[in-house]
Amino acid sequence: MKPGNSLLQSLVAKRIVATVSALLVIALGCGAGFWQLSRANTKIALAANLLARQQMPILNANLGSWTLEEASERRMIARGQYLPEAAIWLDNRPKPISGSSNATQSGFYLMMPLRLENRDEVLWINRGWAPRNNENRETLPPIKTPVGIISVEGIVFAHPGKVYELGDGKTIDSLGKPKIEQNFNLAAEGSMRGWNQAPFILREEDT
């Protein structure tokens, strides 16, 4: 084989390899782009569905036994009395610090049962976020709990969100101490306390 032909074949081979490599990079880039676009479209669709359900007529927890399918992501109003002694503090719920893009503040979600007026049923309320005392982790933030019959309005969800936890998720309650957990198990709470519960939680919103 002539040296000129060998050099030409070598150049052609290198160009083919470079072209194939470039095409693979382009294909991977397009695939990633389509995947990101698909995720964005999915998030947009979920947000639109959530908004549509929140614009439906407000449900009344005191007027019927709603299923999770009927009530999920819809607005709901409930009248009843808080049971603060059964409150659960959900730990490791950080909140972004205003004015900072990355910094967060550690805190809790406060879950508190509401015994519905004129119904033998309890509805768990996510009363919102409260900051953790970084100097003493056993000191819980002060909160005000209304006494007597009140009205609560919010949005229905299956649970208040979950975080990763080590172990089996079971906690040992200390007598006289607040109950602090990583995650909230609605079915387990109802079984332990013997309550007739709504099959969802209500995330309270300011009205």
Side-chain angles (χ1 to χ4, degrees):
M1 181 180 293
K2 294 181 180 180
N5 290 337
S6 177
L7 180 60
L8 179 61
Q9 289 177 353
S10 176
L11 290 173
V12 171
K14 288 181 178 180
R15 285 193 175 185
I16 291 175
V17 171
T19 301
V20 171
S21 298
L23 289 173
L24 286 174
V25 171
I26 292 172
L28 290 173
C30 290
F34 285 131
W35 179 71
Q36 291 287 355
L37 184 60
S38 176
R39 287 188 63 193
N41 288 336
T42 299
K43 289 182 178 180
I44 291 172
L46 290 174
N49 180 68
L50 177 61
L51 180 61
R53 291 187 67 82
Q54 290 179 16
Q55 290 177 342
M56 296 172 69
I58 298 177
L59 300 177
N60 190 322
N62 299 77
L63 296 182
S65 297
W66 304 99
T67 65
L68 175 60
E69 290 73 19
E70 291 171 327
S72 181
E73 299 177 346
R74 290 185 61 176
R75 300 194 70 83
M76 176 177 281
I77 190 169
R79 280 185 58 80
Q81 184 169 358
Y82 276 128
L83 305 175
E85 67 278 4
I88 298 175
W89 296 83
L90 299 184
D91 202 358
N92 292 325
R93 294 320 200 267
K95 181 180 181 181
I97 296 177
S98 179
S100 175
S101 58
N102 297 317
T104 59
Q105 183 178 4
S106 59
F108 302 92
Y109 282 158
L110 175 58
M111 301 296 300
M112 190 174 290
L114 182 82
R115 185 171 296 282
L116 296 176
E117 184 182 31
N118 299 324
R119 287 186 63 82
D120 180 26
E121 188 174 55
V122 167
L123 172 62
W124 280 88
I125 309 294
N126 180 351
R127 295 191 59 193
W129 183 88
R132 172 183 277 285
N133 186 322
N134 293 323
E135 296 180 358
N136 186 347
R137 295 179 64 85
E138 293 187 359
T139 301
L140 294 173
I143 58 166
K144 293 182 179 180
T145 299
V147 178
I149 301 298
I150 61 165
S151 292
V152 180
E153 184 174 340
I155 300 174
V156 171
F157 290 99
H159 54 77
K162 298 179 180 180
V163 299
Y164 178 77
E165 63 179 319
L166 298 173
D168 57 9
K170 295 180 180 179
T171 59
I172 301 176
D173 294 336
S174 298
L175 203 61
K177 288 189 175 182
K179 190 173 183 181
I180 301 175
E181 295 192 2
Q182 297 296 312
N183 289 301
F184 179 73
N185 190 323
L186 180 62
E189 289 299 324
S191 176
M192 180 182 68
R193 301 178 187 278
W195 285 343
N196 178 31
Q197 295 183 154
F200 46 75
I201 65 109
L202 185 67
R203 188 181 71 190
E204 183 180 11
E205 291 195 335
D206 293 334
T207 55

